[in-house]
Amino acid sequence: CGFVGETFPYACKTVVRLYSAGVSAQLTNTRLRRNTSVGTPFWMAPEVIACEQQLDSTYDARCDVWSLGITAIELGDGDPPLSDLHPMRALFKIPRNPPPTLHQPELWSHDFNDFISRCLIKDFELRPNVLDLLQHVFIKQTVGREKILQKQLIELTDLNQQIGLIEKTRIKDQTAVVFSENTLDLLTACFFLFQNIVTEQLQSRYSRDQIYTYVGDILIAVNPFRKMEIYTPQHTKMYIGAKRTANPPHIFAVADIAYQSVVSYNTDQCVVISGESGAGKTESAHLLVQQLTVLGKANNRTLQEKILLVNSLVEAFGNACTAINDNSSRFGKYLEMKFTCGGTVVGAKICEYLLEKSRVIHQAVGERNFHIFYYVYAGLADRKKLAHYKLSDSKTPKYLCNEHIKLGPDIVSNAFYKEQFDAVEQCFKVIGFTLEELGSVYSTLAAILNSGDIEFSAVASEHQTDKSNITNMSALENVASLLRIRSDELQEALTSHCVVARGETIVRPNTVEKAVEVRDAMGKALYGRLFSWIVNRINVLLRPDSQLGEAEKGLNIGILDIFGFENFKKNSFEQLCINIANEQIQFYFNQHIFAWEQDEYLNEEVDARMIEYEDNRPLLDLFLQKPMGMLSLLDEESRFPQATDQTLVEKFEDNLKTKSFWRPKRVDLGFGIHHYAGKVIYNAAGFLSKNRETLPADIILLLRSSENELIRKLVTHPLTKTGKEATLLLSGFCGVFSPDPTNCGDAPYHPRETTNMKTQTVASYFRYSLMDLLSKMVAGQPHFVRCIKPNNDRQANKFDREKVLVQLRYTGVLETAKIRRQGYSHRILFANFIKRYYLLAFNAHEEPPVTPETCAAIMEKARLENWAMGKTKVFLKYYHVEHLNLMVQLTTQRIVLLQACVRGWLGARRYRRILKEREQSALVLQSVCRGFIARQKYKELVDEKNKAATKIQARYRGHKERKSFQRKR
């Protein structure tokens, strides 16, 4: 045993192998009686086999060197050569086959391959003995390191016992690594978790098109940047109800685990998909929805189609092309799939958060507006309807202008845009939009594009020089026509504003800058409210019909797809909000994985090692704390009319005294933040104007007078970001025309009644949205999918190790591996645990008491180790739950099989009884029938006899009469 330990110091398995002079065996439950290499065919040397067949053959101790080589291959590949054959077949193959090698020799060092080849020389006369092998370079590198290697081996053995799994192992040079071919469980099993090793293995799997990898119960998904043939119906079936280790890692397995948890524990689940922009989060969300709908076995077969269809619609309005992602989500989407207690999916609901409305009016260099503008433009051009919607086929709208955009080739003639327009229009029809509503949507989008072309000029006078005037009235008339409002009133609302002070109405002119702000605010507000209205209509479509009440009381699986961490050459207000949202998601991840889990260990008095992790709470306080957090300071500065972006940066510098904030040199409006994902330098230019985003009351009143019903709905009945009536979350929509933000009804206050109206800022919307999103996530048991972007060029088969390593660091994968190895990912109340698993240890008619002893009896019956018992909960590792669920499934299948057999036996007995009864009935029927026939025949015979007797009697009387007559004569 010591020899093997010194030769293979990193090979730690729960399957025991012994090696000494003449003995090399595998001790398992099925081969306990085969204690030597002579009795174990797979390890037999060719000369040993020949000796059994030929009496004159001999062999010496070098046969054990052959067995040692076979053992080395087994330690590398997990199984000895020919192990898939019958032992007798192996005996036939070993002398005839060439010497075996590792399954993938290129994965191993030259020294290890050479060591194996030296051991497996078929001619034992040429084969080295043990003393010769001790001089091999593979063995000599362990000299002087025995104690270190023994210590590492003990630690690895201890960790392997904690895991409680029997996994195949692999040796690679002097790296202390224990890998599983499918699950890569080394990430949770290995004590020495080196970052370069993790990256190397991810790269190796990526090169073999294995884009998914488990880290404990967390899935890492590396974006392949191409289509993969691993999402077929066959793969869908493969991952339904299967044990996780039975199949390669897959996003479908995450869906199955979440679904099984819903059915088993009757608790809500939440799948959090995170990663930087372009890592594949949106596609992962699509695949989860696809699999969950199949698992839910929807009664309405079109439900999955509808969910996927409206998903495309929402993304058309909420996604855009950025510098690093052609289909980047510019909003947060939380999709709740609703299930009955029996596990049937009956509906879904979409909640949208943090839409990047500023993109409507301005895009950074190399970026584009929301997809829908290009789709509609190309589609209307294809149908010759541009003129109807006041759009030009020769001039690009200002809101779509970009250094890379030329209207003719890039939009109007783009076949992809036209196809997407047809798909979007089909989505609208499936949802239930009327043709009139569809036209109103197009008119609203066209009005937004036309409004960007309205230009202003300063009007100078003797007494006042801050007036503005519209220089291109045709653009103004186009917007008014599309919005169905009067052009003169629109002009007045853009170039002036009314203030009510002490009962007197004062009309004040707008400067050119103010008029531009009002124009842009109108465009952003119209688009944001249109988006919320569409989401609300989608939710009406996906709402359960007949089972609405049951679904409301049922269970949910939430899927969060939100924009990832961004760091561009120039980062503005939008990137700040996006990265704060990602900080919040990372904080939630840390809290659930580390803080809450460890607090629960302490409360339940469960012995678990404390893990140190990078807590980003101080950074969140820097952003969200009141009154001195960054967003609060931004709101405060936004209230001052004379404030500038420069004064804002100075206020940040004066009040934010922390290591995470700094001012870079030679950058006037720049400031830096050290995020969890790295350092980012922001440019504060435009922060104040983007944060204010106030829609003037005059614009609201004017839009309410529109003859377009949709426009009136958007401003009269504002929607929250979750598609409900206005609540605290987005009370600012009410606040712009109501002094009481909580009093939003059908009869809102007149917007000109006061000069002290409370208005919301983008930062306040953002803060409330984060609160609402976090409350939804906390309500469910989380499952994490970490998406990794392998390169910045979006190229397939390209793996940038440094890029991946940085993402592994800031996503906390390594710390997660530690706590997942040492901690307990599932903590189940005694009552729920017994309700789910009592069948494993008790009879079906029994009602075991809700006690720790009952739970312990179930775990002992399942023969599981390394679990813990708290005061009120059972603490399990993720593989415990998989094993228990599989046992319940097998037990249920046996019960169903037994029931089927009993029903079959009862049916067969009933059938035999019926056959016997039928036979008896046939005999009775035959008897009755024969009796009837006999009686009929007897009656006929009697009748014939009577007739014959009557005839005889008649003739006799005639004869007698004739005789009598003759005598008388």
Side-chain angles (χ1 to χ4, degrees), residues 92-108:
F92 178 80
K93 288 284 187 180
I94 290 172
R96 292 164 177 80
N97 286 357
T101 61
L102 287 163
H103 180 63
Q104 291 181 293
E106 67 276 5
L107 296 179
W108 312 98

PDB file of all heavy atoms in Angstrom, residues 92-108:
ATOM      1  N   PHE A  92      -8.545 -14.371 -22.937  1.00  0.00           N
ATOM      2  CA  PHE A  92      -8.244 -14.708 -24.329  1.00  0.00           C
ATOM      3  C   PHE A  92      -7.555 -13.540 -25.036  1.00  0.00           C
ATOM      4  O   PHE A  92      -6.671 -13.727 -25.868  1.00  0.00           O
ATOM      5  CB  PHE A  92      -9.547 -15.074 -25.057  1.00  0.00           C
ATOM      6  CG  PHE A  92      -9.368 -15.386 -26.503  1.00  0.00           C
ATOM      7  CD1 PHE A  92      -8.906 -16.634 -26.911  1.00  0.00           C
ATOM      8  CD2 PHE A  92      -9.647 -14.432 -27.475  1.00  0.00           C
ATOM      9  CE1 PHE A  92      -8.736 -16.922 -28.252  1.00  0.00           C
ATOM     10  CE2 PHE A  92      -9.475 -14.709 -28.811  1.00  0.00           C
ATOM     11  CZ  PHE A  92      -9.021 -15.959 -29.203  1.00  0.00           C
ATOM     12  N   LYS A  93      -7.941 -12.288 -24.685  1.00  0.00           N
ATOM     13  CA  LYS A  93      -7.448 -11.103 -25.383  1.00  0.00           C
ATOM     14  C   LYS A  93      -6.054 -10.677 -24.931  1.00  0.00           C
ATOM     15  O   LYS A  93      -5.249 -10.205 -25.727  1.00  0.00           O
ATOM     16  CB  LYS A  93      -8.425  -9.935 -25.178  1.00  0.00           C
ATOM     17  CG  LYS A  93      -9.730 -10.053 -25.939  1.00  0.00           C
ATOM     18  CD  LYS A  93      -9.515  -9.727 -27.411  1.00  0.00           C
ATOM     19  CE  LYS A  93     -10.827  -9.667 -28.159  1.00  0.00           C
ATOM     20  NZ  LYS A  93     -10.633  -9.356 -29.604  1.00  0.00           N
ATOM     21  N   ILE A  94      -5.751 -10.800 -23.628  1.00  0.00           N
ATOM     22  CA  ILE A  94      -4.517 -10.235 -23.086  1.00  0.00           C
ATOM     23  C   ILE A  94      -3.272 -10.755 -23.800  1.00  0.00           C
ATOM     24  O   ILE A  94      -2.410  -9.963 -24.204  1.00  0.00           O
ATOM     25  CB  ILE A  94      -4.439 -10.483 -21.568  1.00  0.00           C
ATOM     26  CG1 ILE A  94      -5.488  -9.631 -20.846  1.00  0.00           C
ATOM     27  CG2 ILE A  94      -3.049 -10.155 -21.037  1.00  0.00           C
ATOM     28  CD1 ILE A  94      -5.622  -9.930 -19.369  1.00  0.00           C
ATOM     29  N   PRO A  95      -3.084 -12.063 -24.008  1.00  0.00           N
ATOM     30  CA  PRO A  95      -1.858 -12.530 -24.693  1.00  0.00           C
ATOM     31  C   PRO A  95      -1.798 -12.115 -26.158  1.00  0.00           C
ATOM     32  O   PRO A  95      -0.706 -12.026 -26.731  1.00  0.00           O
ATOM     33  CB  PRO A  95      -1.923 -14.055 -24.554  1.00  0.00           C
ATOM     34  CG  PRO A  95      -2.918 -14.317 -23.469  1.00  0.00           C
ATOM     35  CD  PRO A  95      -3.898 -13.203 -23.556  1.00  0.00           C
ATOM     36  N   ARG A  96      -2.945 -11.878 -26.777  1.00  0.00           N
ATOM     37  CA  ARG A  96      -2.999 -11.628 -28.217  1.00  0.00           C
ATOM     38  C   ARG A  96      -2.951 -10.137 -28.568  1.00  0.00           C
ATOM     39  O   ARG A  96      -2.544  -9.786 -29.678  1.00  0.00           O
ATOM     40  CB  ARG A  96      -4.274 -12.269 -28.800  1.00  0.00           C
ATOM     41  CG  ARG A  96      -4.239 -13.784 -28.750  1.00  0.00           C
ATOM     42  CD  ARG A  96      -5.619 -14.381 -28.961  1.00  0.00           C
ATOM     43  NE  ARG A  96      -5.559 -15.860 -28.993  1.00  0.00           N
ATOM     44  CZ  ARG A  96      -5.485 -16.610 -27.913  1.00  0.00           C
ATOM     45  NH1 ARG A  96      -5.445 -16.039 -26.716  1.00  0.00           N
ATOM     46  NH2 ARG A  96      -5.420 -17.919 -28.033  1.00  0.00           N
ATOM     47  N   ASN A  97      -3.401  -9.258 -27.643  1.00  0.00           N
ATOM     48  CA  ASN A  97      -3.412  -7.823 -27.912  1.00  0.00           C
ATOM     49  C   ASN A  97      -2.046  -7.205 -27.650  1.00  0.00           C
ATOM     50  O   ASN A  97      -1.259  -7.731 -26.849  1.00  0.00           O
ATOM     51  CB  ASN A  97      -4.445  -7.116 -27.021  1.00  0.00           C
ATOM     52  CG  ASN A  97      -5.865  -7.391 -27.475  1.00  0.00           C
ATOM     53  OD1 ASN A  97      -6.084  -8.060 -28.483  1.00  0.00           O
ATOM     54  ND2 ASN A  97      -6.831  -6.868 -26.744  1.00  0.00           N
ATOM     55  N   PRO A  98      -1.736  -6.087 -28.296  1.00  0.00           N
ATOM     56  CA  PRO A  98      -0.501  -5.363 -27.954  1.00  0.00           C
ATOM     57  C   PRO A  98      -0.593  -4.805 -26.536  1.00  0.00           C
ATOM     58  O   PRO A  98      -1.676  -4.744 -25.956  1.00  0.00           O
ATOM     59  CB  PRO A  98      -0.449  -4.235 -28.998  1.00  0.00           C
ATOM     60  CG  PRO A  98      -1.862  -4.058 -29.442  1.00  0.00           C
ATOM     61  CD  PRO A  98      -2.497  -5.425 -29.378  1.00  0.00           C
ATOM     62  N   PRO A  99       0.517  -4.406 -25.940  1.00  0.00           N
ATOM     63  CA  PRO A  99       0.472  -3.877 -24.572  1.00  0.00           C
ATOM     64  C   PRO A  99      -0.502  -2.708 -24.469  1.00  0.00           C
ATOM     65  O   PRO A  99      -0.510  -1.812 -25.324  1.00  0.00           O
ATOM     66  CB  PRO A  99       1.918  -3.432 -24.315  1.00  0.00           C
ATOM     67  CG  PRO A  99       2.742  -4.247 -25.255  1.00  0.00           C
ATOM     68  CD  PRO A  99       1.898  -4.448 -26.471  1.00  0.00           C
ATOM     69  N   PRO A 100      -1.349  -2.676 -23.450  1.00  0.00           N
ATOM     70  CA  PRO A 100      -2.338  -1.588 -23.315  1.00  0.00           C
ATOM     71  C   PRO A 100      -1.664  -0.272 -22.943  1.00  0.00           C
ATOM     72  O   PRO A 100      -0.552  -0.242 -22.402  1.00  0.00           O
ATOM     73  CB  PRO A 100      -3.255  -2.082 -22.192  1.00  0.00           C
ATOM     74  CG  PRO A 100      -2.419  -3.014 -21.392  1.00  0.00           C
ATOM     75  CD  PRO A 100      -1.469  -3.666 -22.361  1.00  0.00           C
ATOM     76  N   THR A 101      -2.364   0.822 -23.239  1.00  0.00           N
ATOM     77  CA  THR A 101      -1.902   2.163 -22.882  1.00  0.00           C
ATOM     78  C   THR A 101      -3.057   2.944 -22.263  1.00  0.00           C
ATOM     79  O   THR A 101      -4.190   2.457 -22.196  1.00  0.00           O
ATOM     80  CB  THR A 101      -1.393   2.919 -24.117  1.00  0.00           C
ATOM     81  OG1 THR A 101      -2.478   3.063 -25.061  1.00  0.00           O
ATOM     82  CG2 THR A 101      -0.232   2.183 -24.776  1.00  0.00           C
ATOM     83  N   LEU A 102      -2.758   4.135 -21.820  1.00  0.00           N
ATOM     84  CA  LEU A 102      -3.804   5.014 -21.310  1.00  0.00           C
ATOM     85  C   LEU A 102      -4.795   5.342 -22.421  1.00  0.00           C
ATOM     86  O   LEU A 102      -4.441   5.387 -23.613  1.00  0.00           O
ATOM     87  CB  LEU A 102      -3.195   6.300 -20.769  1.00  0.00           C
ATOM     88  CG  LEU A 102      -2.434   6.182 -19.438  1.00  0.00           C
ATOM     89  CD1 LEU A 102      -1.555   7.396 -19.224  1.00  0.00           C
ATOM     90  CD2 LEU A 102      -3.410   6.024 -18.272  1.00  0.00           C
ATOM     91  N   HIS A 103      -6.040   5.607 -22.027  1.00  0.00           N
ATOM     92  CA  HIS A 103      -7.077   5.899 -23.011  1.00  0.00           C
ATOM     93  C   HIS A 103      -6.760   7.166 -23.793  1.00  0.00           C
ATOM     94  O   HIS A 103      -6.957   7.226 -25.006  1.00  0.00           O
ATOM     95  CB  HIS A 103      -8.432   6.039 -22.300  1.00  0.00           C
ATOM     96  CG  HIS A 103      -9.562   6.343 -23.229  1.00  0.00           C
ATOM     97  ND1 HIS A 103      -9.949   5.469 -24.224  1.00  0.00           N
ATOM     98  CD2 HIS A 103     -10.381   7.426 -23.329  1.00  0.00           C
ATOM     99  CE1 HIS A 103     -10.963   6.002 -24.891  1.00  0.00           C
ATOM    100  NE2 HIS A 103     -11.234   7.182 -24.370  1.00  0.00           N
ATOM    101  N   GLN A 104      -6.247   8.187 -23.091  1.00  0.00           N
ATOM    102  CA  GLN A 104      -5.830   9.431 -23.741  1.00  0.00           C
ATOM    103  C   GLN A 104      -4.417   9.781 -23.268  1.00  0.00           C
ATOM    104  O   GLN A 104      -4.235  10.623 -22.385  1.00  0.00           O
ATOM    105  CB  GLN A 104      -6.802  10.576 -23.407  1.00  0.00           C
ATOM    106  CG  GLN A 104      -8.186  10.404 -24.039  1.00  0.00           C
ATOM    107  CD  GLN A 104      -9.098  11.567 -23.706  1.00  0.00           C
ATOM    108  OE1 GLN A 104      -9.472  11.764 -22.561  1.00  0.00           O
ATOM    109  NE2 GLN A 104      -9.445  12.337 -24.715  1.00  0.00           N
ATOM    110  N   PRO A 105      -3.427   9.159 -23.847  1.00  0.00           N
ATOM    111  CA  PRO A 105      -2.049   9.365 -23.364  1.00  0.00           C
ATOM    112  C   PRO A 105      -1.571  10.802 -23.502  1.00  0.00           C
ATOM    113  O   PRO A 105      -0.680  11.236 -22.772  1.00  0.00           O
ATOM    114  CB  PRO A 105      -1.227   8.413 -24.234  1.00  0.00           C
ATOM    115  CG  PRO A 105      -2.075   8.138 -25.436  1.00  0.00           C
ATOM    116  CD  PRO A 105      -3.488   8.200 -24.974  1.00  0.00           C
ATOM    117  N   GLU A 106      -2.179  11.562 -24.446  1.00  0.00           N
ATOM    118  CA  GLU A 106      -1.723  12.943 -24.636  1.00  0.00           C
ATOM    119  C   GLU A 106      -2.049  13.832 -23.441  1.00  0.00           C
ATOM    120  O   GLU A 106      -1.475  14.926 -23.290  1.00  0.00           O
ATOM    121  CB  GLU A 106      -2.357  13.538 -25.906  1.00  0.00           C
ATOM    122  CG  GLU A 106      -3.870  13.752 -25.846  1.00  0.00           C
ATOM    123  CD  GLU A 106      -4.644  12.491 -26.178  1.00  0.00           C
ATOM    124  OE1 GLU A 106      -4.006  11.431 -26.369  1.00  0.00           O
ATOM    125  OE2 GLU A 106      -5.877  12.563 -26.246  1.00  0.00           O
ATOM    126  N   LEU A 107      -2.957  13.381 -22.563  1.00  0.00           N
ATOM    127  CA  LEU A 107      -3.304  14.179 -21.396  1.00  0.00           C
ATOM    128  C   LEU A 107      -2.306  14.020 -20.256  1.00  0.00           C
ATOM    129  O   LEU A 107      -2.376  14.747 -19.267  1.00  0.00           O
ATOM    130  CB  LEU A 107      -4.700  13.800 -20.891  1.00  0.00           C
ATOM    131  CG  LEU A 107      -5.873  14.068 -21.835  1.00  0.00           C
ATOM    132  CD1 LEU A 107      -7.173  13.612 -21.203  1.00  0.00           C
ATOM    133  CD2 LEU A 107      -5.953  15.538 -22.212  1.00  0.00           C
ATOM    134  N   TRP A 108      -1.403  13.056 -20.394  1.00  0.00           N
ATOM    135  CA  TRP A 108      -0.495  12.747 -19.298  1.00  0.00           C
ATOM    136  C   TRP A 108       0.942  13.078 -19.670  1.00  0.00           C
ATOM    137  O   TRP A 108       1.294  13.204 -20.843  1.00  0.00           O
ATOM    138  CB  TRP A 108      -0.620  11.256 -18.933  1.00  0.00           C
ATOM    139  CG  TRP A 108      -2.047  10.845 -18.775  1.00  0.00           C
ATOM    140  CD1 TRP A 108      -2.837  10.223 -19.690  1.00  0.00           C
ATOM    141  CD2 TRP A 108      -2.878  11.092 -17.647  1.00  0.00           C
ATOM    142  NE1 TRP A 108      -4.098  10.048 -19.197  1.00  0.00           N
ATOM    143  CE2 TRP A 108      -4.164  10.572 -17.930  1.00  0.00           C
ATOM    144  CE3 TRP A 108      -2.664  11.683 -16.403  1.00  0.00           C
ATOM    145  CZ2 TRP A 108      -5.200  10.634 -17.048  1.00  0.00           C
ATOM    146  CZ3 TRP A 108      -3.721  11.748 -15.506  1.00  0.00           C
ATOM    147  CH2 TRP A 108      -4.962  11.226 -15.830  1.00  0.00           C
TER     148      TRP A 108
END
